[in-house]
């Protein structure tokens, strides 16, 4: 009986919170560009006005994602990592026509400044598996949001593309902040080689060590 009551109270709390946040999120969802829909949390002023008095490099962490069974679980894992990173702005770009209520309910749990964008792949590509640009519309939508909203007087910022199914060590973000122009980082446990990495010669990228190189 105690377990049943606890479960009922837990579900009741989650449901009421879901309804409340759904209203808040949908009321702040606006059309900025054809085909894209946006949902903000209340801290997006960090991107527009900068963080005065803070010299730490701002990281725009762009995460392309798409609807699937594991989507919420993987975004939860990623969000619980990003919540430990200072001065980070999370842009979640979803391959769907409208913002998901589940994700709008999830993102505020991490107390991270974020923007959630519904950025579906153009239908012209969906029926051609040989020319399917996966994640391209998501990344383009996120970059466009930054162009429209970033404070142009704040040059102390860097963009990083981080997939939702990857795991990130917190030390990586220290490396990301050192970026001056372009940085590339190896990724472990990928493909037959076990690692995907740029090949560096005299400080320049001259190739890639990747078992899927022909497709990239």
């Amino acid at each position: 009986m105690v377990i049943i009551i606890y479960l009922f109270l837990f579900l009741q709390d989650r449901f009421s919170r879901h309804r409340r946040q759904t209203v808040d999120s949908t009321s702040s969802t606006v059309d900025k560009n054809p085909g894209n829909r946006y949902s903000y949390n209340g801290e997006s002023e960090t991107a527009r006005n900068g963080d005065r008095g803070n010299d730490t490099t701002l990281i725009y962490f762009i995460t392309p994602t798409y609807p699937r069974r594991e989507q919420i679980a993987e975004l939860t894992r990623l969000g619980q990592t990003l919540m430990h990173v200072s001065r980070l702005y999370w842009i979640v770009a979803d391959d769907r026509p409208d913002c998901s209520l589940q994700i709008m309910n999830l993102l505020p749990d991490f107390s991270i400044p974020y923007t959630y964008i519904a950025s579906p792949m153009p239908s012209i590509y969906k029926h051609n598996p040989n020319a399917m640009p996966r994640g391209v519309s998501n990344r383009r939508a996120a970059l466009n949001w930054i162009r429209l909203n970033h404070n142009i007087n704040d040059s102390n910022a860097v963009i990083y593309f981080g997939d939702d199914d990857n795991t990130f060590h917190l030390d990586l973000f220290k490396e990301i902040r050192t970026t001056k122009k372009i940085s590339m980082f190896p990724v472990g446990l990928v493909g037959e080689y076990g690692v995907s990495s740029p090949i560096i010669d005299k400080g320049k990228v001259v190739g890639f060590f990747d078992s899927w190189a022909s497709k990239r």
Side-chain angles (χ1 to χ4, degrees), residues 44-132:
S44 56
E45 293 300 317
T46 301
R48 297 188 182 90
N49 299 329
D51 192 356
R52 297 177 182 176
N54 192 337
D55 294 330
T56 303
T57 299
L58 171 64
I59 298 176
Y60 285 109
F61 194 94
I62 296 175
T63 299
T65 186
Y66 62 96
R68 62 195 186 282
R69 182 180 59 182
E70 305 86 1
Q71 185 181 32
I72 296 298
E74 291 185 330
L75 286 173
T76 298
R77 179 182 60 184
L78 178 55
Q80 290 180 345
T81 296
L82 299 183
M83 65 191 297
H84 297 287
V85 182
S86 63
R87 203 163 187 241
L88 180 141
Y89 196 99
W90 194 12
I91 303 177
V92 180
D94 201 351
D95 187 358
R96 65 170 76 229
D98 294 293
C99 292
S100 161
L101 296 181
Q102 283 184 301
I103 295 178
M104 285 194 289
N105 184 49
L106 173 69
L107 294 178
D109 288 347
F110 309 118
S111 300
I112 302 171
Y114 73 87
T115 294
Y116 174 40
I117 308 173
S119 50
M121 180 189 300
S123 58
I124 188 175
Y125 297 113
K126 291 187 176 181
H127 305 293
N128 185 0
N130 295 323
M132 186 177 292

Side-chain angles (χ1 to χ4, degrees), residues 10-42:
F10 173 78
L11 292 175
Q12 185 181 46
D13 174 71
R14 293 295 294 182
F15 179 68
S16 63
R17 189 156 63 98
H18 173 78
R19 288 188 301 172
R20 183 169 62 253
Q21 292 182 348
T22 296
V23 172
D24 293 341
S25 296
T26 53
S27 65
S28 63
T29 301
V30 295
D31 281 316
K32 283 288 189 76
N33 289 312
N36 293 336
R37 294 184 67 82
Y38 297 73
S39 174
Y40 306 95
N41 78 341

Side-chain angles (χ1 to χ4, degrees), residues 104-160:
M104 285 194 289
N105 184 49
L106 173 69
L107 294 178
D109 288 347
F110 309 118
S111 300
I112 302 171
Y114 73 87
T115 294
Y116 174 40
I117 308 173
S119 50
M121 180 189 300
S123 58
I124 188 175
Y125 297 113
K126 291 187 176 181
H127 305 293
N128 185 0
N130 295 323
M132 186 177 292
R134 293 188 302 172
V136 174
S137 63
N138 311 69
R139 292 174 175 87
R140 288 172 63 93
L143 290 173
N144 189 59
W145 185 92
I146 294 173
R147 292 189 188 100
L148 293 174
N149 292 276
H150 178 67
N151 177 18
I152 60 175
N153 295 318
D154 183 5
S155 60
N156 197 20
V158 64
I159 296 171
Y160 182 84

